[in-house]
Amino acid sequence: MKTTIFKTDKQSLAAASALLQQGEVVAFPTETVYGLGADATNEAAVQKVFTAKGRPSDNPLIMTVADESQLDEFVVISEAAKTLMAAFWPGSLTIILPIKPGRVEMIVTGGLQTVAFRLPDNEAARQLIRVAGVPIVGPSANISGKPSPTTAQHVWHDMQGKIAGIVDDGPTTVGVESTVIDMSATIPTILRPGAVTQQQLEAVLGVRVVDATSTKSVASDVTPKAPGMKYRHYAPDKNVVMFDRLDAMTLKEVLQKNDVVMAQDATIAAMAISQEKTWSLGESLETATEQLFAGLRYYDDEATVATIYVEKMPPIGIGKAFNNRLGKAAGNQEFNI
């Protein structure tokens, strides 16, 4: 299959949207990571997404929209959910809602009676969906289980020849997937951390929000409500080990020839190791999160690299999302003194 790269001008987006209308798969940019788009109302098109990614069939997909009005046909929207949409859409928040009977393809929900929706903060993505005229599924545009793509080049690496097109809008700005909140539950519950924090959600809703991201486990015979809860995610083929900044100097003493370090600038400077063996995570939680998947992908393609050591972030704000993705990439393996 030929994979076409599209720009974000009106004519290019119209051509990419036409492919979606024809039941093809087109990767698209968001502020978080690149998504793998297909007409969410077309079962055959959605199946192509599972095939391209190698994604388990019981791993539900997020439906991505250009406008809130696109939800009305598919789900029951509570007043609390509308409050969240008003506060955080467009943006990095995915909301799980109960579906209206028979309105959503079961291949999208994994057989559940709930579905997740998101409205991304990326004009090219919204224009693509508006012209297509339908919501699109939008899982990350990578091989299932591998680090998510934050550039069109990452998507090309994984999906060239497997999908019809890629809309290139440059690097993403957030760098990790959206926060997922379950609004079909009795108590609003976070199932995946992202840029929208528990504190922000509670402030807007005015009620307690449960964070189930560290305690929620899914049995092998149970369908997860959100992506990333059950199967291996975000992991390169190379060995990944987390480390704490306080252990940086000890780590320096045991680094082997083929080991590399991903860390914030202050940590790299303190360790005083060669630039060729380091990947900068910048100076803030935001830059660290933006660079995480890019660094993991870069080193995964370097034949000489054996182990990737990655600095953990303070578990505040988006740092919690960073540590969540890093923990999954590392299989929770930590550097021990």
Side-chain angles (χ1 to χ4, degrees):
M1 174 185 290
K2 179 184 178 182
T3 302
T4 302
I5 302 293
F6 294 99
K7 297 179 180 180
T8 57
D9 59 277
K10 185 176 181 180
Q11 183 176 359
S12 297
L13 289 175
S17 295
L19 288 175
L20 291 173
Q21 292 171 335
Q22 294 162 21
E24 298 295 343
V25 178
V26 176
F28 64 98
T30 75
E31 78 282 12
T32 57
V33 301
Y34 273 72
L36 207 55
D39 180 353
T41 67
N42 182 334
E43 183 175 359
V46 175
Q47 182 58 56
K48 292 180 182 179
V49 170
F50 282 94
T51 301
K53 283 181 64 70
R55 185 183 179 95
S57 61
D58 67 343
N59 204 2
L61 299 173
I62 292 169
M63 291 175 66
T64 307
V65 296
D67 302 285
E68 290 178 30
S69 60
Q70 288 185 294
L71 275 68
D72 295 335
E73 178 182 349
F74 304 100
V75 288
V76 178
I77 309 172
S78 65
E79 289 303 314
K82 290 178 182 178
T83 299
L84 291 179
M85 293 172 193
F88 298 110
W89 280 9
S92 303
L93 182 67
T94 294
I95 304 173
I96 295 176
L97 298 165
I99 65 174
K100 293 179 178 178
R103 298 296 180 89
V104 181
E105 297 286 350
M106 288 293 99
I107 191 175
V108 174
T109 71
L112 298 175
Q113 295 303 307
T114 57
V115 69
F117 271 96
R118 179 160 113 81
L119 198 165
D121 189 14
N122 180 284
E123 182 54 41
R126 297 197 300 272
Q127 181 63 15
L128 179 77
I129 298 166
R130 285 193 192 102
V131 176
V134 289
I136 62 176
V137 294
S140 55
N142 57 293
I143 295 171
S144 189
K146 297 304 178 183
S148 300
T150 56
T151 68
Q153 290 71 34
H154 293 161
V155 181
W156 179 268
H157 179 280
D158 285 12
M159 294 292 157
Q160 190 272 329
K162 298 179 180 180
I163 62 176
I166 302 169
V167 176
D168 185 356
D169 193 29
T172 64
T173 55
V174 176
V176 295
E177 295 82 356
S178 59
T179 303
V180 176
I181 185 168
D182 185 2
M183 293 302 290
S184 71
T186 303
I187 300 174
T189 303
I190 299 172
L191 301 183
R192 183 177 72 186
V196 179
T197 67
Q198 179 182 10
Q199 290 74 23
Q200 289 175 311
L201 292 166
E202 289 180 332
V204 168
L205 289 174
V207 298
R208 181 171 71 97
V209 173
V210 174
D211 184 349
T213 58
S214 60
T215 59
K216 203 83 170 179
S217 60
V218 179
S220 60
D221 59 345
V222 174
T223 298
K225 269 192 169 183
M229 294 179 64
K230 181 177 180 180
Y231 295 100
R232 182 174 182 261
H233 277 70
Y234 320 118
D237 292 330
K238 299 294 172 63
N239 186 38
V240 178
V241 179
M242 304 180 286
F243 74 94
D244 190 279
R245 179 177 294 189
L246 295 176
D247 298 328
M249 300 313 293
T250 304
L251 171 61
K252 176 184 176 180
E253 298 303 317
V254 300
L255 284 176
Q256 301 298 304
K257 178 182 178 181
N258 293 332
D259 295 340
V260 293
V261 174
M262 293 175 56
Q264 292 202 298
D265 293 344
T267 304
I268 291 174
M271 294 178 76
I273 54 180
S274 66
Q275 185 175 352
E276 291 75 19
K277 292 175 67 68
T278 62
W279 181 278
S280 170
L281 295 177
E283 299 178 349
S284 67
L285 295 177
E286 288 74 21
T287 58
T289 307
E290 181 183 344
Q291 287 297 315
L292 175 61
F293 288 143
L296 290 175
R297 280 182 161 268
Y298 176 81
Y299 284 131
D300 202 29
D301 282 340
E302 290 292 300
T304 59
V305 171
T307 297
I308 309 168
Y309 288 94
V310 187
E311 180 182 0
K312 294 190 296 184
M313 295 296 120
I316 55 175
I318 201 170
K320 191 167 185 177
F322 178 98
N323 291 339
N324 171 268
R325 305 311 193 274
L326 174 57
K328 291 179 181 293
N332 291 317
Q333 183 179 192
E334 295 200 45
F335 173 69
N336 293 314
I337 299 174

